Amino acid sequence: MEAKHLVFIAIVCAVSRIEGQIVLTSSSSLNITRSGCGTSKLCFPSCDPVVNSSTCYFGSTQYLFNGTLNFELMGPTSGYVALGLASDPNVGATIVFVCANNNNSNTFFFQTASNTTSGLNQTTVNTVYTVLGSAYNQSLNQSFTQCTFTTSSNLTVGNISTSTSKASTNISYYVTIFSGTTNGATLGFPFSQYYSGKALNLADPTSNTNTTSSTSSTTAAAAAATTASGSDSLTNPVAHALAILLSAIGLLHLS
């Protein structure tokens, strides 16, 4: 296997609020695999990001503790790979987490958005805690973008909460993996690489059993739900700080 030529790797720790694009600091490496799929984490689709790295758009979620979710996302693209979540399949992805390569400076950046008929619109997700990502070239003709990030299971866009019952650890969304091009830090139109076909419980590693995937190169982006103009932080700063600490400990156990 050819050595990976890392262009840039960045990490953000203890971020309490992410508003659109963020500034990244420090550095580390990522190793996203299918290890733990179906037992400790929910994976989608069924492809192997190591064995089929040139064609596999891969994502996973793991419920850690204290209402915290850890996400992994990877795709063979020099632009962006994104994870879209929708409570209603007729509305479209109201929450989109974008891991991207700024092709002007060859640097990784992370952005939150909503999906509309005209493309991805930058928005605010108040409950993202940590982000770790990289964009690199494995060869002259093969580029990859990947990231991991942790969020509260009580996802909030603006000041509209999309949470379900955390007491029963049932956090269900229709899941889409998108890809697209970048022009600097500007995101191109999203194309669907995977669609869950049903609501997946992000806290249940077996939730995608008998799920149909889609690798269509085109998609009609449904209009996203209207978000509020305000941006409220988590209501309990002590609990928020504890969640950040616990999620960081969880990531250490995962590494």
Side-chain angles (χ1 to χ4, degrees), residues 67-140:
T68 301
L69 289 169
N70 181 66
F71 291 85
E72 295 178 316
L73 191 58
M74 181 178 183
T77 177
S78 60
Y80 70 83
V81 58
L83 179 69
L85 302 178
S87 300
D88 183 347
N90 298 316
V91 172
T94 55
I95 302 175
V96 182
F97 303 100
V98 183
C99 301
N101 174 40
N102 183 321
N103 58 4
N104 286 344
S105 57
N106 287 327
T107 55
F108 171 85
F109 68 94
F110 182 86
Q111 186 167 302
T112 55
S114 61
N115 194 21
T116 72
T117 54
S118 59
L120 298 180
N121 287 345
Q122 182 174 312
T123 189
T124 298
V125 176
N126 297 321
T127 48
V128 178
Y129 299 149
T130 62
V131 179
L132 170 65
S134 67
Y136 62 89
N137 297 321
Q138 190 175 61
S139 66
L140 291 176

Side-chain angles (χ1 to χ4, degrees), residues 3 33 36 65 67 70 84 105 116 123 131 152 154-155 185 188 200 222 228 231 233 255:
T33 71
F65 34 70
N70 181 66
S105 57
T116 72
T123 189
V131 179
S152 167
N154 183 2
L155 297 170
L200 302 181
S231 297
S233 60
S255 61

Side-chain angles (χ1 to χ4, degrees), residues 16 29 46 73 81 148-149 151 161 176 188 195 204 224-225 237:
S16 60
S29 60
S46 59
L73 191 58
V81 58
T148 66
F149 53 94
T151 77
S161 173
T176 305
Y195 177 64
D204 179 3

Side-chain angles (χ1 to χ4, degrees), residues 1-254:
M1 180 182 293
E2 296 184 59
K4 296 180 181 178
H5 305 293
L6 295 183
V7 176
F8 181 82
I9 303 175
I11 180 172
V12 174
C13 294
V15 177
S16 60
R17 180 184 296 183
I18 292 180
E19 300 184 358
Q21 185 178 337
I22 61 175
V23 178
L24 303 173
T25 61
S26 188
S27 66
S28 184
S29 60
L30 290 174
N31 184 30
I32 297 176
T33 71
R34 289 192 61 84
S35 177
C37 288
T39 56
S40 62
K41 66 183 182 181
L42 169 67
C43 298
F44 42 83
S46 59
C47 64
D48 190 315
V50 176
V51 177
N52 307 113
S53 60
S54 63
T55 58
C56 180
Y57 285 86
F58 176 80
S60 76
T61 68
Q62 183 175 24
Y63 187 83
L64 300 177
F65 34 70
N66 198 34
T68 301
L69 289 169
N70 181 66
F71 291 85
E72 295 178 316
L73 191 58
M74 181 178 183
T77 177
S78 60
Y80 70 83
V81 58
L83 179 69
L85 302 178
S87 300
D88 183 347
N90 298 316
V91 172
T94 55
I95 302 175
V96 182
F97 303 100
V98 183
C99 301
N101 174 40
N102 183 321
N103 58 4
N104 286 344
S105 57
N106 287 327
T107 55
F108 171 85
F109 68 94
F110 182 86
Q111 186 167 302
T112 55
S114 61
N115 194 21
T116 72
T117 54
S118 59
L120 298 180
N121 287 345
Q122 182 174 312
T123 189
T124 298
V125 176
N126 297 321
T127 48
V128 178
Y129 299 149
T130 62
V131 179
L132 170 65
S134 67
Y136 62 89
N137 297 321
Q138 190 175 61
S139 66
L140 291 176
N141 299 316
Q142 187 64 72
S143 300
F144 295 91
T145 301
Q146 60 181 349
C147 66
T148 66
F149 53 94
T150 58
T151 77
S152 167
S153 59
N154 183 2
L155 297 170
T156 305
V157 179
N159 54 16
I160 298 178
S161 173
T162 64
S163 66
T164 57
S165 173
K166 290 191 290 183
S168 61
T169 322
N170 184 1
I171 310 153
S172 296
Y173 293 95
Y174 292 82
V175 177
T176 305
I177 295 179
F178 298 106
S179 69
T181 60
T182 54
N183 182 8
T186 302
L187 305 176
F189 191 83
F191 294 94
S192 174
Q193 300 294 341
Y194 165 83
Y195 177 64
S196 63
K198 69 173 185 178
L200 302 181
N201 181 358
L202 303 185
D204 179 3
T206 65
S207 181
N208 62 347
T209 302
N210 298 324
T211 297
T212 302
S213 65
S214 170
T215 55
S216 171
S217 60
T218 59
T219 183
T226 302
T227 60
S229 58
S231 297
D232 295 335
S233 60
L234 294 179
T235 57
N236 189 331
V238 175
H240 185 191
L242 179 60
I244 294 172
L245 177 61
L246 292 175
S247 63
I249 294 173
L251 286 177
L252 289 177
H253 288 297
L254 291 174

